[in-house]
Amino acid sequence: MTTTTTPNTGLRARLDARVTSARAAVRGSTVGRSGWSGRTWRVLAWIAYRDWMFTRALTVWAARHWMPTVFGVVVSVGWWGILTLADTPGDRITGPLLALLVFLSPGIVLGLFAGIAPARYRRRVHAHKMAAYWPEVARSCTLYRTEPDGTETVSTLRHVSHQPGAVVLRVETFPGQTPETLHRAAPAIASAYRAHGFEVTPVKPGVLDVALFTTYRIAPVAARMPVPEGANPDALPVGKARTGHVAEMVVRGRHTLVVGATGAGKGSVLWSVIGGLAPAIHDGTVCAWGLDLKGGVELEMGRALFGRVAYTAEDSIEVLRALMRVIDRRKESMRGVTRLHVPTSAEPLHVLMIDELADLMAYSEFETRREADRLMSKILTQGRALGVVVVACVQNPRQEAVGQRNLYPQKIALRLDSDVESDMVLGPAALQAPAHEISRSDPGTGYLVREDGAPVMVRFAYWPDDLIREVAVRYAAPASHSAPEPRDGADAANAWAAAAARRTTPNDNAGKPTNEDAPAPRTRKPRAPRKSRTPRPAAPAATPEEV
């Protein structure tokens, strides 16, 4: 299917390009200049902009309040005319001018406010317009009730506030209305105000904040060298939110499932977590484990940050067994002491990063899939409170690929292929987080759904290869994290491995000291040879004469 561009669209694009280039040229020749000339231009532009805002605010107020304006002009002109016709000696201007200023004093005060704080003035004006439009929006979104006398009662808009990238409406329900009604009406409210998205947050019973986002895209975020102060697994900086604030992700105590189509930016999520925790990995309070089913293409770039890694499905089983032994050991140490693990250098927080989870859970051999499903189920159900968390990345969110979706309390939905997949990953939050509408030109953008079910649009930082190598060299994991764990624990697979290790052959016991006090081994009576069975002779065949 081919698309054609209309002449009007092409003409508008060319005009926009010319206007943009003209603005850039004017800016470069005036306020963009260096030295004293550029400073002079910037000061003049600052003064001109404030004067314009003062004049605009005063003019708008005078136009809306034309009666006091006209009355003040008539009084001032009449006063001046009377003094002039009477040929009264003295000042004939000050009195009429003061009278005019008295009538225009509200507009003058508003103009001064606009000149001194233009950004705040524009927010106030915008909030006033939205509040004035609210009754019509409430009626169109069925947020009203008709009284017996014919009057209409709409949901109350308490106030309108502005946040970076969003306008927040605080709405209060009327008697007989439930908060669920406001939740269902939120998409219609966002559409009525021409918002790019919305988010509903309960404030208290009967009061909700409806955040309407003024932008759809989040600017790309470039990762930087992590600092020890930011390596906090309870509030790890991973990128930027749609409101412009730093997006934080909780790692400790939460398993995270990352789902995204090819090229959606799963690597940005993976390295935002591991790279952000790199200082904690270096000092030993966090131990990173890795399973890269793409043959190590992703994790090998920062191999020094990981204690143990596996690049095949068979090796991944051994890593999962070793991690299960850590869980079994911590069960005994934490029993009766604490219910939530606190990371220390002696008992670190173990973070398992899995890239291409479906290759292990759905596309491997049957025995490998069964063992991986058993181990992953135990890790996901037991490891959270014991300081073992999983961050798994996958492309296919369907049940056959991710059979343990419900065991991940925290989900990240990057760009998906359809609304069906968005519903699979996000569940009820898919209405507020249309992950299938994310643009292909915005890799790393997705919705972070916390345990409370509230989705937040986040753009994860992009980590180039050179930065990953530099971080891995600077914050390499200690050697103790790479040592294999001893084979102990109550896991069934470990018990079989321990039993096999204890089994010896007669040749292995040669030359070893024996214990004379030990009881003699019990000898078994030799089995009698089995009697041979002779075949029974077959009956002779009948002759034609007998027939």
Side-chain angles (χ1 to χ4, degrees):
M1 179 179 179
T2 59
T3 57
T4 58
T5 304
T6 60
N8 293 335
T9 305
L11 178 60
R12 183 171 183 177
R14 290 194 297 270
L15 289 176
D16 291 341
R18 290 189 177 184
V19 170
T20 303
S21 60
R23 287 180 177 176
V26 172
R27 184 178 182 85
S29 60
T30 54
V31 297
R33 302 175 96 182
S34 59
W36 286 101
S37 60
R39 296 177 184 175
T40 304
W41 276 109
R42 286 191 289 271
V43 171
L44 293 176
W46 186 88
I47 296 174
Y49 178 67
R50 264 65 182 179
D51 290 342
W52 159 249
M53 291 300 297
F54 173 82
T55 306
R56 177 184 176 183
L58 179 59
T59 304
V60 170
W61 182 89
R64 291 182 177 177
H65 304 83
W66 59 271
M67 292 186 64
T69 303
V70 172
F71 189 71
V73 171
V74 170
V75 171
S76 301
V77 173
W79 191 347
W80 175 82
I82 292 173
L83 295 178
T84 302
L85 293 176
D87 197 13
T88 302
D91 189 5
R92 305 173 184 175
I93 303 299
T94 304
L97 184 59
L98 290 176
L100 181 60
L101 292 178
V102 169
F103 284 99
L104 299 180
S105 57
I108 295 174
V109 172
L110 188 63
L112 291 174
F113 172 66
I116 296 173
R120 189 173 179 182
Y121 166 77
R122 297 180 67 175
R123 288 196 298 267
R124 288 287 184 88
V125 172
H126 184 258
H128 179 74
K129 291 181 178 179
M130 295 190 70
Y133 188 46
W134 170 252
E136 183 178 350
V137 172
R139 284 191 292 269
S140 62
C141 298
T142 65
L143 297 177
Y144 70 95
R145 179 182 62 187
T146 304
E147 302 294 342
D149 57 356
T151 60
E152 292 181 349
T153 302
V154 299
S155 302
T156 305
L157 179 63
R158 284 192 172 184
H159 62 80
V160 181
S161 60
H162 286 75
Q163 295 179 358
V167 180
V168 181
L169 309 179
R170 179 156 293 182
V171 185
E172 181 180 1
T173 60
F174 53 76
Q177 189 182 45
T178 61
E180 285 73 16
T181 306
L182 293 178
H183 277 279
R184 291 192 297 267
I189 296 174
S191 178
Y193 282 112
R194 300 296 186 267
H196 293 280
F198 66 93
E199 178 181 335
V200 181
T201 305
V203 178
K204 60 182 182 179
V207 180
L208 294 89
D209 278 350
V210 182
L212 305 178
F213 297 107
T214 59
T215 179
Y216 179 70
R217 299 187 61 189
I218 304 177
V221 183
R224 298 180 180 179
M225 180 64 65
V227 294
E229 294 78 12
N232 183 8
D234 294 326
L236 182 66
V238 293
K240 184 187 296 183
R242 182 153 50 176
T243 58
H245 297 94
V246 175
E248 295 180 344
M249 175 179 166
V250 179
V251 178
R252 185 171 74 104
R254 295 185 185 179
H255 302 301
T256 305
L257 179 64
V258 183
V259 186
T262 303
K266 293 185 291 296
S268 297
V269 182
L270 188 150
W271 289 113
S272 294
V273 175
I274 292 298
L277 292 174
I281 294 175
H282 185 66
D283 63 24
T285 57
V286 174
C287 179
W289 305 57
L291 305 181
D292 187 355
L293 279 302
K294 290 189 298 187
V297 175
E298 189 71 41
L299 299 187
E300 190 64 25
M301 195 67 62
R303 174 63 181 84
L305 295 172
F306 294 88
R308 294 190 62 175
V309 296
Y311 300 150
T312 63
E314 291 75 15
D315 295 340
S316 299
I317 297 298
E318 296 301 323
V319 172
L320 294 178
R321 288 173 178 169
L323 196 58
M324 194 64 213
R325 289 192 291 271
V326 174
I327 294 177
D328 292 335
R329 188 175 65 249
R330 283 191 177 172
K331 289 178 185 178
E332 300 178 0
S333 62
M334 293 176 57
R335 186 181 299 124
V337 179
T338 179
R339 295 185 301 170
L340 182 62
H341 174 263
V342 178
T344 61
S345 57
E347 293 291 341
L349 171 68
H350 293 270
V351 181
L352 174 62
M353 304 295 301
I354 305 178
D355 193 18
E356 299 300 336
L357 176 66
D359 193 278
L360 175 65
M361 306 299 296
Y363 310 140
S364 302
E365 298 296 332
F366 174 75
E367 293 296 333
T368 303
R369 293 200 312 267
R370 185 173 63 177
E371 183 67 6
D373 183 77
R374 184 185 70 86
L375 294 172
M376 283 294 297
S377 298
K378 298 186 71 174
I379 292 173
L380 291 174
T381 54
Q382 302 178 15
R384 185 188 66 83
L386 299 172
V388 178
V389 296
V390 179
V391 180
C393 302
V394 69
Q395 297 182 22
N396 182 9
R398 288 170 173 80
Q399 185 70 21
E400 61 270 14
V402 190
Q404 300 140 338
R405 278 202 312 261
N406 295 333
L407 299 181
Y408 294 89
Q410 185 170 249
K411 299 179 179 63
I412 298 175
L414 302 173
R415 177 178 54 83
L416 298 175
D417 292 332
S418 64
D419 56 345
V420 177
E421 293 186 354
S422 298
D423 186 69
M424 289 180 183
V425 179
L426 304 177
L431 183 63
Q432 303 182 37
H436 55 283
E437 297 181 0
I438 298 176
S439 175
R440 293 179 176 270
S441 59
D442 295 336
T445 302
Y447 290 95
L448 171 62
V449 182
R450 302 184 296 264
E451 282 186 330
D452 58 359
V456 179
M457 190 175 187
V458 177
R459 183 151 193 176
F460 291 86
Y462 171 70
W463 287 72
D465 295 346
D466 295 338
L467 179 60
I468 296 174
R469 296 191 189 96
E470 185 179 355
V471 172
V473 172
R474 183 172 178 178
Y475 295 109
S480 60
H481 288 184
S482 301
E485 296 285 342
R487 285 185 175 272
D488 55 2
D491 187 77
N494 300 332
W496 279 105
R502 290 193 299 267
R503 188 172 55 220
T504 58
T505 61
N507 294 332
D508 295 334
N509 295 329
K512 295 184 180 180
T514 60
N515 186 1
E516 297 179 354
D517 296 334
R522 181 180 179 182
T523 59
R524 297 181 60 182
K525 182 178 180 181
R527 186 175 181 180
R530 179 178 296 179
K531 298 180 180 181
S532 59
R533 296 181 179 180
T534 57
R536 297 175 62 181
T543 59
E545 290 80 1
E546 292 176 340
V547 175

